[in-house]
Every structure is written in C-alpha cells, then in structure tokens.
Amino acid sequence: RRGNGEGAVSPDLPQSRLRRGFATAWRQLPFFVWLIALWMLLWGQFTWLAFLTGLAAALVVTRVFRLPPVELSGRVNLWWGLVFVVEFLLAVVQGSLTVAWQVLDFRRRPGAAIIAAQLVTDDDLIMTHTAVTASLIPGSLIVDTDRDRRILYLHVIGVRDDADVEKQRASVHHWEERIVRAVGSHAQLQAMRDAAPHGTVDRGGAR
C-alpha cells in the first residue's frame, strides 16, 4: 500500500471517476436515444428488430467512430417531447397524403422551389434535429446548409406563390421551436420567445 506522500492515490478517485462517467452517460442519453429513433424512422419500422439494430448502430457510431462529445443542454422536457412526436407523425401522414394528391392531380403540375429558412438558435444539435425532421416529412428535403448563418436550404414541392414559401419557412421554425422546447436549454428557449414577436417563430409556439 502506498503512503500518503507524493504519488499516493486518493481512495475517492475511482468513485469520482465513476460519478463523472454516470454524469456523462446521463447527458449523452438523449442523443443516444435520438440515434435509435432516427434509425427506426429512416427504416420506417417500429419493431423490436428495428430497435435492436438501431441500438447496435448507435453503439457503433458512439464507440467506434469516436468524435468530440456533443454538448447537450442537460434539459429534457418529456411533455414537449411527446408533443413533438405526435405532431411529427401527423405531419408525416399529412405530407404523404398531400404528395400523393399532387401526383394524382393531372389538372396542374405541382410547383417546386428552393427555400432558405434561417434558424433562431445557434446550436449544431438543434440545427441537425430540425434539418432531419424537415427532410423526413414528405414534400420537403434539405439540400444544403449554411452553418455560419444558421440557414437551411430546402427543396419543396407544391409551391405556387409567396404565401406557400412563407408557410414552409414557418413550418421549419415551428419544428425548431418544438425541438428547443423538448431538449433545448433555457437560453435557447428564451431566444425563441424573443424572436416570436418579430415573426421569426410562429406565435402559437411562444407560449
């Protein structure tokens, strides 16, 4: 056993490392769960097989391809997370029906446009979540991003006038607001509220 002189190991060191490990795992848990959910959404399957393969993929991504840790807010609101999931599923169904009708409507061809939507929050994770959400809804697809200016560029079908363009921008801001309410920090949530009166975010989401 080592003495108390130079080179002695504190008995509390393993415990402190264990506590830090648990704290890091807890902060990264929402990101890990999001990877599994994203895998299931991409495959369009909500089965045990999809869950297990998503779990394996998340382990590979987080353990084999080690990147700098993602700094999460440490805040998770389960209620707003549930609201986001329900609204997202409804938007997927509505988008699928809308695209199907546009394909079957031979009276007119649906217009298309590249739309730029500037986000409010300056956060890589929020920006990624918003981009993935917008791309998973039928009728819109992220084609490019401008990280420095926080701009998402979307290819959208069914655009006929400026009102449709603004409606699509409002939809992107709506998803950003829902994601911030679910997993964003208090500062990000306050930024969304401050931007709402100026029209950057739909007023309904600023409650």
Side-chain angles (χ1 to χ4, degrees):
R1 185 177 61 184
R2 294 185 179 181
N4 294 328
E6 185 177 355
V9 178
S10 171
D12 295 333
L13 185 58
Q15 294 182 0
S16 63
R17 288 180 177 176
L18 186 61
R19 286 195 296 268
R20 287 198 301 269
F22 276 122
T24 302
W26 175 254
R27 287 196 301 267
Q28 297 297 319
L29 182 60
F31 179 64
F32 193 79
V33 172
W34 170 252
L35 288 177
I36 298 175
L38 179 60
W39 178 271
M40 298 173 72
L41 289 171
L42 289 175
W43 285 100
Q45 297 180 1
F46 297 91
T47 62
W48 282 110
L49 178 60
F51 173 80
L52 293 176
T53 54
L55 178 62
L59 287 173
V60 171
V61 169
T62 56
R63 297 304 175 187
V64 178
F65 303 101
R66 296 188 65 87
L67 295 173
V70 178
E71 293 295 331
L72 301 177
S73 66
R75 171 185 169 273
V76 177
N77 189 305
L78 296 179
W79 167 251
W80 285 108
L82 177 62
V83 170
F84 168 79
V85 171
V86 172
E87 287 190 352
F88 172 75
L89 294 177
L90 292 176
V92 169
V93 174
Q94 181 181 9
S96 300
L97 295 176
T98 301
V99 172
W101 172 250
Q102 291 170 346
V103 172
L104 297 175
D105 187 3
F106 298 102
R107 296 173 300 175
R108 56 185 178 184
R109 300 176 63 182
I114 301 294
I115 298 175
Q118 186 172 29
L119 303 183
V120 176
T121 54
D122 186 12
D123 183 90
D124 290 337
L125 202 57
I126 298 297
M127 187 175 189
T128 301
H129 289 347
T130 306
V132 170
T133 301
S135 290
L136 288 175
I137 297 175
S140 63
L141 180 68
I142 297 293
V143 295
D144 198 5
T145 61
D146 187 334
R147 177 63 187 88
D148 294 334
R149 295 190 295 169
R150 311 187 309 276
I151 296 178
L152 299 179
Y153 294 93
L154 303 91
H155 178 271
V156 182
I157 62 175
V159 176
R160 293 186 295 272
D161 50 32
D162 292 340
D164 290 336
V165 172
E166 293 304 321
K167 181 180 179 180
Q168 185 62 40
R169 286 201 183 104
S171 175
V172 174
H173 295 146
H174 173 79
W175 293 121
E176 180 189 14
E177 182 262 345
R178 286 293 186 256
I179 293 169
V180 168
R181 282 188 177 274
V183 297
S185 65
H186 292 289
Q188 292 168 346
L189 183 56
Q190 186 60 46
M192 299 296 297
R193 289 170 174 165
D194 293 341
H198 304 286
T200 307
V201 182
D202 59 300
R203 294 180 183 272
R207 293 190 295 268

